[in-house]
Amino acid sequence: MIWNLVAAGYALIALAAICVEIFAQRKPDIVVPIGDMLDHVMKSRTTRVAVIAAWWWFGWHFAFADTVQLNL
């Protein structure tokens, strides 16, 4: 039950992100497309290092962390 709710929540977030990106591609003066935003953000070396560190942290904790088995 809870797994279905969480999966639906993530699917809703992904769908909202896709809809916002489609809107941004059509109206770039209102909402900046993700590619343009990433180009702007990644100009700084500090930001690039922070993004790599964040991806490493997420990957390490999701790939190698012990999972908790809940008996619901």
Side-chain angles (χ1 to χ4, degrees), residues 5-21:
L5 185 62
V6 170
Y10 278 115
L12 184 64
I13 290 169
L15 182 63
I18 290 169
C19 290
V20 168
E21 181 60 21

Side-chain angles (χ1 to χ4, degrees), residues 1-71:
M1 169 66 181
I2 189 103
W3 186 90
N4 293 335
L5 185 62
V6 170
Y10 278 115
L12 184 64
I13 290 169
L15 182 63
I18 290 169
C19 290
V20 168
E21 181 60 21
I22 290 170
F23 181 76
Q25 292 294 327
R26 292 181 182 195
K27 305 272 186 174
D29 54 326
I30 298 174
V31 178
V32 178
I34 190 79
D36 294 344
M37 182 189 67
L38 287 176
D39 285 342
H40 179 72
V41 168
M42 292 298 194
K43 286 181 183 177
S44 169
R45 183 175 188 270
T46 305
T47 306
R48 289 192 303 266
V49 170
V51 168
I52 290 170
W55 276 113
W56 176 82
W57 187 87
F58 281 121
W60 180 262
H61 285 84
F62 284 116
F64 298 110
D66 292 332
T67 58
V68 177
Q69 299 296 327
L70 299 176
N71 296 322

